[in-house]
Amino acid sequence: MTFKTLDNLTDIAGKRVLVRVDLNVPVKDGKVTDATRIERVAPTIRELSEKGAKVILLAHFGRPKGEVVTEMSLEQILPAVNDVLGRKVGFAADCTGEPAAAAIAAMGNGDVLLLENTRFHKGEEKNNPDFTAALAANGDIFVNDAFSAAHRAHASTEGLAHLLPAYAGRTMQAELEALEKGLGNPARPVVAIVGGAKVSTKIDLLMNLVKKVDALVIGGGMANTFLAARGTNVGKSLCEHDLADTAKQIMIEAATATCAIVLPEDGVVAREFKANAENQVVDVNAIPADAMMLDVGPKTVEAVNAWISRAATLVWNGPLGAFEIAPFDAATVSAAKHAAARTKEGKLVSVAGGGDTVAALNHAGVADDFTYVSTAGGAFLEWMEGKPLPGVDVLHQQK
Ligand SMILES: Nc1ncnc2c1ncn2[C@@H]1O[C@H](COP(=O)(O)OP(=O)(O)OP(=O)(O)O)[C@@H](O)[C@H]1O
Ligand SMILES: O=C(O)[C@H](O)COP(=O)(O)O
């Protein structure tokens, strides 16, 4: 796997560098509530600026579907970008045409400019050649630092790399290197933890993982579907009974590939989905008919942690329980802390991704201790599913 990085960009003073970043950050009442994605792309922006390039940021925000939607303007993200970078970044009210051209013409070497939401144009999501050419007209070089948007074959994530010399930014590079360690050519044994709400959203993921990992821990709501497929009565737990055959198929594939499937042995059950709801620990074969399993139980946590101790590589997507509400966060927190401790001891390569997973690791206070935590949601999942990522593939094709 090879791609060009910023190391290959030396003599770039005065060059216009179009940098695709992911500024699709959470916003409440017009304010950015989590700047992680901005912080992740800051090193690339700083490095290019220090090398004297004119740094022109391309990004999307929300899904305006080719219309100009004021609430989805990137101008509202600008103050947070200024804060993270500790400098003033310019803004152009359109990513192509006169507004972009005029703002770029006024840039000095090392300046940083943010262009308005690329998705205000229909050509972005269609990867339309005319729109891509209009974007390319503003740059000499293309840098993609938006791994989390790389599963989209859009003009600013894929198309531009065909028109301009293309490079991976520092975050893209770190992400690809970490993912390669995670599932590309990982140290064995490899253990995957997949949790979260539903099997239906992660069928491809589970099918791919059983072929690649030595053990697959299934937790969260999706474990119930597997337990039910096995004939266990899961009471009122979240369960997709219609996916029993899919779950069985995944277990058959796992047996063929000699991948151990680790399902809950016990669970924490409650009758209400709310914080501090009255709860009890039961064997999975004794889930009361009127209760739901909201977390895996202590015996299961012990088994999961034993697998983490055995693992050389861990890939994790999806919490083991309803971690947002205490005490159903206990299993996720325990496994996260154990994985973090093993990583710190140098015994484990731990790679995690997914919006809720990152929130869960932050909740456990260990996100910084993992080898790599991806800020990508859909892109991380598609990568784990073994699907090609257009924004990454095109970087590999660069001569
Ligand atoms: N046993 C359970 N019963 C019901 N809900 C559960 C259970 N276990 C986990 N969940 C819920 O699953 C949700 C997370 O699932 P999801 O599949 O979205 O995770 P993710 O893949 O990390 O996140 P994202 O989809 O943002 O990438 C959480 O809101 C959590 O409360
Ligand atoms: O938030 C994300 O996962 C990325 O920015 C991609 O956004 P999208 O799902 O709207 O393409």
Side-chain angles (χ1 to χ4, degrees):
M1 186 176 75
T2 50
F3 49 87
K4 290 187 187 158
T5 70
L6 300 196
D7 293 336
N8 304 96
L9 278 180
T10 41
D11 204 8
I12 54 168
K15 291 265 193 291
R16 300 164 306 161
V17 183
L18 294 174
V19 187
R20 181 54 158 99
V21 289
D22 191 350
L23 300 181
N24 201 23
V25 291
V27 169
K28 199 160 180 243
D29 301 327
K31 288 225 161 58
V32 173
T33 54
D34 184 326
T36 310
R37 279 183 170 171
I38 306 175
E39 287 156 9
R40 290 282 178 101
V41 294
T44 291
I45 299 171
R46 284 203 191 97
E47 184 172 339
L48 290 169
S49 164
E50 278 160 17
K51 287 177 174 171
K54 296 173 180 170
V55 186
I56 304 156
L57 306 179
L58 290 170
H60 75 278
F61 184 72
R63 293 178 176 166
K65 297 194 161 69
E67 307 292 334
V68 175
V69 181
T70 323
E71 297 78 54
M72 294 186 200
S73 170
L74 275 173
E75 201 167 8
Q76 65 191 313
I77 312 296
L78 198 58
V81 176
N82 288 336
D83 280 354
V84 169
L85 293 176
R87 61 180 292 171
K88 208 168 154 14
V89 170
F91 182 75
D94 194 350
C95 62
T96 58
E98 185 48 30
I104 292 165
M107 288 176 87
N109 291 2
D111 282 356
V112 184
L113 173 74
L114 172 62
L115 303 183
E116 183 57 287
N117 198 338
T118 50
R119 288 191 186 170
F120 282 180
H121 292 264
K122 289 200 166 49
E124 164 70 341
E125 291 185 56
K126 293 200 166 89
N127 205 353
N128 171 283
D130 292 339
F131 177 68
T132 313
L135 288 177
N138 292 323
D140 306 302
I141 292 163
F142 173 56
V143 170
N144 191 348
D145 212 22
F147 173 81
S148 43
H151 55 319
R152 309 290 181 212
H154 293 175
S156 69
T157 60
E158 201 269 351
L160 270 177
H162 294 285
L163 300 187
L164 296 175
Y167 301 79
R170 292 299 180 201
T171 285
M172 174 71 91
Q173 180 187 350
E175 193 100 33
L176 296 178
E177 286 169 358
L179 298 186
E180 179 65 18
K181 272 196 204 161
L183 280 185
N185 188 15
R188 293 202 171 263
V190 186
V191 173
I193 298 180
V194 179
K198 292 181 181 167
V199 173
S200 51
T201 56
K202 295 185 183 174
I203 294 171
D204 292 346
L205 170 68
L206 296 166
M207 284 289 190
N208 186 46
L209 283 179
V210 292
K211 289 175 206 140
K212 295 210 161 155
V213 305
D214 301 295
L216 172 62
V217 175
I218 302 176
M222 66 167 53
N224 302 324
T225 303
F226 282 82
L227 292 173
R230 211 178 61 177
T232 305
N233 194 335
V234 297
K236 289 227 156 46
S237 305
L238 180 72
C239 179
E240 294 167 287
H241 291 283
D242 55 329
L243 285 182
D245 286 344
T246 307
K248 279 184 199 154
Q249 191 54 40
I250 291 166
M251 290 193 271
I252 291 167
E253 297 274 347
T256 313
T258 56
C259 164
I261 295 274
V262 184
L263 285 173
E265 296 165 45
D266 57 350
V268 188
V269 299
R271 285 169 182 81
E272 290 171 288
F273 190 95
K274 67 168 198 193
N276 302 315
E278 202 184 315
N279 61 83
Q280 62 184 127
V281 173
V282 296
D283 188 277
V284 289
N285 295 311
I287 299 174
D290 63 343
M292 38 192 175
M293 181 155 85
L294 292 180
D295 196 10
V296 302
K299 264 197 210 155
T300 309
V301 174
E302 225 175 273
V304 173
N305 284 345
W307 272 107
I308 293 173
S309 295
R310 247 171 265 157
T313 305
L314 174 72
V315 282
W316 188 340
N317 172 264
L320 291 172
F323 75 97
E324 303 93 334
I325 49 172
F328 309 107
D329 57 344
T332 305
V333 169
S334 169
K337 285 191 168 159
H338 187 56
R342 297 283 298 172
T343 308
K344 270 171 114 176
E345 288 166 16
K347 293 187 172 128
L348 181 70
V349 171
S350 50
V351 181
D356 282 304
T357 312
V358 175
L361 296 186
N362 278 326
H363 173 72
V366 296
D368 291 344
D369 299 327
F370 269 55
T371 310
Y372 196 79
V373 176
S374 175
T375 58
F380 182 79
L381 274 181
E382 290 196 22
W383 168 80
M384 274 181 89
E385 286 162 7
K387 293 185 178 152
L389 302 180
V392 170
D393 286 356
V394 73
L395 292 179
H396 288 145
Q397 290 157 20
Q398 296 292 307
K399 300 228 170 60

